[in-house]
Amino acid sequence: MILRPQLVSAARCFTTTARAQAHLSHIGREPIKVPSGVKLSKTQHGLSITGPLGSTSLPLKPFVQITYPESDVMSVAVEDSGVKEQRQMWGTTRTLIANAITGISEGFTVPLYLVGVGYRAAIEADPRGTADGGCGKRLNLKLGHSHNIYVPIPPHIKAEVPSAAKIVLSCTDKHKLGLFAAKIREFRKPEPYKGKGVFVGREQIRIKSSKKK
């Protein structure tokens, strides 16, 4: 079988382009905007970030390279994007740094909605104080159980209850905020028949129709 020259050439070009793009990280190569008031300093084992809402630090792999093409712009790169570990950590590291900068400068906020008859939330003083690692306050939740649920509020979480059926959580750490919100959601997950439960943010569920005999 004889291949036409133009077909062979096209196949080679396609293969070369695919290999070149495979070593790029579309997330990792995006620059990070550093707002005013946020200071970054490279340490021996990581990156220190200080801002209006506090300070934090992130560990960095030895192959991660941090540069500043402009005074208010940070760029993340790796030594060899052809290495699988470095390619995987490229985008992950960039996302962690961007989230840390946003948390220290603006903070993260997530609302929780209590949907159901009699579902209520309130903030009260924790009689155990800080014994369980809390800040001295706790959430008193009524979620359709035979008893109230008490959840100590961690020191790094700020909780507000603007209405009986809404909780607003704030934190400088996006990961810790998500974990605490998920913990509250676990006490009454949204169910698909009556739409009751604890909804996080813009969470939506598909309501199922009950079968009638």
Side-chain angles (χ1 to χ4, degrees):
M1 180 179 180
I2 301 176
L3 295 178
R4 295 181 180 179
Q6 59 270 26
L7 295 181
V8 175
S9 177
R12 290 178 179 175
C13 292
F14 177 80
T15 304
T16 303
T17 304
R19 290 178 179 176
Q21 293 180 350
H23 293 168
L24 295 178
S25 173
H26 297 287
I27 297 177
R29 65 181 181 179
E30 288 294 323
I32 303 174
K33 183 73 174 180
V34 181
S36 59
V38 175
K39 295 182 179 180
L40 308 173
S41 58
K42 184 76 177 294
T43 61
Q44 183 178 2
H45 301 289
L47 182 68
S48 177
I49 305 173
T50 304
L53 301 182
S55 61
T56 186
S57 59
L58 293 174
L60 297 178
K61 295 288 186 179
F63 51 77
V64 175
Q65 301 174 345
I66 302 295
T67 58
Y68 299 90
E70 299 179 19
S71 59
D72 59 345
V73 176
M74 168 188 282
S75 179
V76 181
V78 293
E79 294 179 355
D80 186 358
S81 60
V83 179
K84 183 178 180 180
E85 180 186 4
Q86 297 190 27
R87 188 168 61 254
Q88 290 175 339
M89 290 302 300
W90 190 0
T92 300
T93 302
R94 190 266 178 201
T95 300
L96 292 176
I97 294 176
N99 286 342
I101 292 176
T102 302
I104 292 302
S105 60
E106 303 174 8
F108 294 97
T109 301
V110 60
L112 279 70
Y113 301 96
L114 281 57
V115 181
V117 178
Y119 286 17
R120 296 290 184 269
I123 297 179
E124 60 186 25
D126 193 338
R128 293 172 294 181
T130 59
D132 293 338
C135 66
K137 295 183 178 181
R138 68 183 183 182
L139 288 171
N140 184 351
L141 305 176
K142 296 181 180 180
L143 299 175
H145 299 286
S146 60
H147 58 280
N148 290 9
I149 298 174
Y150 302 101
V151 184
I153 302 174
H156 55 272
I157 298 290
K158 178 182 178 182
E160 298 176 343
V161 182
S163 64
K166 181 180 179 180
I167 305 172
V168 179
L169 303 178
S170 303
C171 184
T172 59
D173 191 312
K174 187 176 183 180
H175 178 66
K176 293 180 179 179
L177 179 64
L179 290 178
F180 188 66
K183 178 180 179 180
I184 298 177
R185 183 182 181 273
E186 282 291 323
F187 292 113
R188 180 65 77 179
K189 294 181 180 180
E191 53 87 20
Y193 293 99
K194 295 184 179 180
K196 296 182 179 181
V198 179
F199 292 78
V200 179
R202 298 181 179 179
E203 179 181 9
Q204 296 180 351
I205 60 172
R206 179 177 297 178
I207 302 298
K208 296 181 179 180
S209 58
S210 58
K211 296 181 179 180
K212 296 182 180 180
K213 297 183 179 179

